[in-house]
Every structure is written in structure tokens, then in C-alpha cells.
Amino acid sequence: MVNGNEVPWLTIIGWGESGTQGLTAASREALERAEVVFGARRHLRLLEPLSTDQSADLKADLRTDLKTKLREWPVPFADGIPQLLAERGRRVVMLASGDPFWFGAGTSIVSHLEPHEWQALPSPSTFSLAASRLGWPLQDCTCLGLHAKPLTRVRPHLHPGRRLLVLVRGGDAVAELAALVESFGFADSTLTVLEALGGEHERVRTFQAAATLPDDIAHPVAVALEVAGEGPALPLTPGLADDFFDHDGQITKQPIRAMTLAALAPKPGERLWDIGTGSGSIAIEWLLAHPDNQAVGFEQNAARAARAAHNARQLGVDWLEVKEGSAVERLSDAAPPDAVFIGGGLSQALLESLWQILPSGVRIVANAVTLESEALLAHWHKQAGGELLRLELASAAPLGSRRGWKASYPIVQWRGVR
């Protein structure tokens, strides 16, 4: 990204398995002019002198000159950033897979730079190449970069008839992904394994999720998944069935949870504090509302805290943060929220602590089931305003030889804004 007449010292080049043959004229020029070239080992092995019309001796000299420029990017990735920044002021190229800003390295790099210091020259992403091989409309596919993320993140996207393009770290991850898809009830799904797309070693093979996969799947690899099967898909509306969650009875039941999520009104990128998280159901559904959302659960009971984290992993939102201990004591350990849900541990001390800590504008929803907590919310409503609701539900149940209504404990819900 160039600012005015300043020439950026860093060029991020999108790099594919075709090596130098797939480069644009601008990318070739930047690479030829570079004093230093950074790249992963698999990128650097594809790097050859760019000119094709020299003698064999001259090509050998160019190849030797090229090797003096090369810097292999270390693992873990973050270790390479100081090395890159140390070359500031020289003409530097960084090789990044495909499109550096679509599940690529670009964002991590430019966060350390000023806009005028860098430019990017992308190549087709692996997603684009995979869609082109399969004839899939890319705009209709779900694209997931899971090479460094838990594969359980595929769970919310398992809906029959959907097409997923998933980047994974290697052959072992393909087998793990297939096993997960089968375990969630979608064994009829078709997996197309695409290796080294765009290069001379490109290979495309198709398997069923339940099949035994070959042991020669090589990185870089993508999986195209056509979802099929009778497994329980996660609905898009709030209020998952209770049996999606492992719990000990301490769970906000489905109908109340749906109304509570509607009151909390999650928006993209917002953070929730879920106090008395129990099974984690409210926080998990908050996270399912949008992949950029964040949630922190506070739970006094160690077993429930562990259970909430487990539920989050199983439902594909492993980034739920669970803080074990007294909420009043742990609130200051978390970044400020956009919304707060109180499902357990409601007390005058908790409400007063929240009023001291929270910035103005934070949405708060509290549910009460005991007479004591109802009285507390009634008092707080009079003092702080907002809405006070009484939610009563009854379900049909056997009554002798007939049926009647069996009432659940009523829920008193307070909705307010700090």
C-alpha cells in the first residue's frame, strides 16, 4: 500500500505451487530487484532464476546469487517478524501463499508496519484454485482456514447440501476432519482432497467421509466437503435444543435461552460476559451468532467451568474463555463487554460491582427464579429502570389417562442498560 511518492521497502508476493512460472510481471520485477527474500521452506524450494534466455553458466551464477538473498521463515511464525523488521530499509520480498490477506500471513505482517512501508501483489488463493478445479461457485462456498485452528470449527457449518472449502495442515488433519464429520452424523459427505494446486505435483482425489483415507496425502492440502447425512445440523436461530449441551441440569432451557439471546441482541464483533455460565449455553450461542464475537464465562464451580469449555469445543466455538472463581473477584480480569448476562450468582454485591466497572451503554440481562432473587431484581428495576418481565412456560404432560399443562418455575427477567 503506497503512500504518495514513497517507495515501500517490503513487497508481499502471493506465491503458488507453480513457483516463478505463475508470477505476474510486477511480481517478477519485485523479486528480481529484491535484496532479501523471505519465505517458508516449501516456497523457497520453488524459487529459481527468473530469466530463461541465459547460458547454463550464467544461470548457475544467478542461482548462486539468489541463494545469498534467501531467508527461511522460522517456526513458530511470530519468530520471523523481528527478522523481517530488521531488514527495514532494504528491498525485501516476502513470499506468502496465494492471497496474503485471505487466511494468509499478510495481516500479521502489516500490523507492525506503516501503510507506506509495504505493498502486496496477490496470486489466486487456494480457495479460488479449488473452486476452479471443481466448478463450484466460490461465492456460495463456506471457506475455512483451519491449518492452525481446531478442526472442530467446522461443526457449525455442517448442513446437508452445503459446500465447504477447508485449508488444513496435512494428511493427518484430513483424516481427523473426516472422522469428525462422521462422528457428527454426516458420514455420507464427500471429501475431495486437493494437493499442491497449481503445481506440477497437483493431485485431486475424492473419498467418502467414512472411507479409509490413503496415508500419502501431502501438504499443502485443501479439502472440499459436500455435506450429506442425517446428523443434527445447528439451526441459525437462537435456542438450540438442550441436548446439544452436556449439562448437570444447570442450563438455561431452550425457550428461555432463545428469549434471553433476543434480549442480549448480539452484533458482529461484540463481547459478552456470561456470569454463572453453567453449561456455557448462553455464551456459546452468542459466539455462534457471528464468528467475530467474543465471550467470557464466569463460573464458581470447577466441573461446570470445564464442562462449558468442552461444550464450546464440541460446537465449534473453542474461543470461549472461561474464568473459574467468584465473578465479583474475577470481573476486572476481563476486557470490558458490550453485553452482560447474569444466569447465576445474582446478588446486590454483583450488581453494584457491575455498575462500578462497566462503561455506559452496556446491555444487561439477568434471569431470576427464586423469591429472593426476584425481589432483588424488582428493587434494582425501580432503581435503575429498564424492563422487568415474568416469563411463564407450561408443557403438555400426562395427567392420569389424559393430558394437562405442567408448569415450569417462572422466570423473572430484567433487561437494562448501564
Side-chain angles (χ1 to χ4, degrees), residues 9-356:
W9 62 269
L10 174 64
T11 300
I12 305 172
I13 294 180
W15 191 252
E17 289 298 299
S18 58
T20 56
Q21 296 179 11
L23 294 178
T24 64
S27 296
R28 293 171 72 89
E29 180 182 359
L31 198 51
E32 286 177 329
R33 289 169 50 84
E35 298 174 84
V36 180
V37 178
F38 283 92
R41 179 177 299 177
R42 67 184 181 86
H43 293 152
L44 298 180
R45 67 177 170 78
L46 297 172
L47 193 55
E48 292 289 341
L50 302 185
S51 301
T52 58
D53 54 357
Q54 292 99 351
S55 67
D57 289 343
L58 184 54
K59 284 185 177 181
D61 291 341
L62 288 170
R63 191 173 289 110
T64 300
D65 178 62
L66 180 62
K67 288 181 179 178
T68 65
K69 301 179 179 182
L70 304 185
R71 307 283 191 278
E72 184 177 331
W73 198 272
V75 177
F77 181 86
D79 289 353
I81 294 176
Q83 299 178 30
L84 176 70
L85 298 180
E87 302 293 345
R88 183 185 266 114
R90 305 180 73 186
R91 291 192 298 273
V92 180
V93 162
M94 178 183 178
L95 305 178
S97 298
D99 185 340
F101 292 92
W102 198 0
F103 297 105
T107 304
S108 299
I109 296 299
V110 302
S111 63
H112 298 272
L113 302 172
E114 296 297 324
H116 66 272
E117 294 187 90
W118 62 275
Q119 64 176 341
L121 303 173
S123 293
S125 68
T126 303
F127 297 119
S128 296
L129 293 173
S132 297
R133 297 295 185 274
L134 300 172
W136 290 5
L138 187 56
Q139 71 274 7
D140 295 334
C141 299
T142 298
C143 298
L144 302 172
L146 302 183
H147 22 36
K149 304 292 183 183
L151 296 179
T152 48
R153 293 193 181 187
V154 76
R155 180 65 181 98
H157 308 287
L158 295 179
H159 292 255
R162 300 299 299 170
R163 287 172 166 174
L164 281 59
L165 295 173
V166 187
L167 307 184
V168 296
R169 62 185 177 274
D172 290 345
V174 176
E176 184 182 346
L177 178 63
L180 277 173
V181 170
E182 182 180 7
S183 71
F184 289 133
F186 298 94
D188 295 335
S189 299
T190 300
L191 278 72
T192 300
V193 180
L194 307 106
E195 302 161 78
L197 285 175
E200 61 177 318
H201 301 295
E202 177 180 310
R203 184 165 56 179
V204 178
R205 295 178 286 179
T206 300
F207 310 93
Q208 292 301 118
T212 300
L213 299 179
D215 58 6
D216 63 344
I217 299 173
H219 180 74
V221 60
V223 176
L225 181 64
E226 292 183 274
V227 183
E230 302 299 323
L234 302 187
L236 299 179
T237 52
L240 296 180
D242 293 347
D243 57 13
F244 275 110
F245 303 94
D246 180 20
H247 62 91
D248 60 1
Q250 289 297 110
I251 182 173
T252 303
K253 300 299 191 294
Q254 180 187 29
I256 301 298
R257 192 177 341 113
M259 287 185 275
T260 300
L261 265 295
L264 288 168
K267 302 178 184 65
E270 289 192 323
R271 180 184 294 107
L272 173 74
W273 283 0
D274 182 4
I275 299 174
T277 195
S279 66
S281 61
I282 292 289
I284 289 169
E285 293 218 40
W286 172 278
L287 294 173
L288 286 169
H290 195 277
D292 290 338
N293 284 2
Q294 303 168 55
V296 181
F298 298 87
E299 177 55 56
Q300 183 106 19
N301 183 287
R304 290 173 183 162
R307 190 178 292 116
H310 169 76
N311 284 332
R313 290 190 296 270
Q314 288 298 107
L315 292 170
V317 289
D318 55 276
W319 55 97
L320 171 63
E321 180 182 2
V322 182
K323 293 186 179 293
E324 185 182 331
S326 166
V328 174
E329 297 174 0
R330 299 298 307 271
L331 292 177
S332 58
D333 296 341
D338 300 284
V340 175
F341 172 62
I342 307 172
L346 180 64
S347 67
Q348 182 74 21
L350 175 61
L351 291 170
E352 290 176 352
S353 294
L354 288 172
W355 242 245
Q356 292 174 6

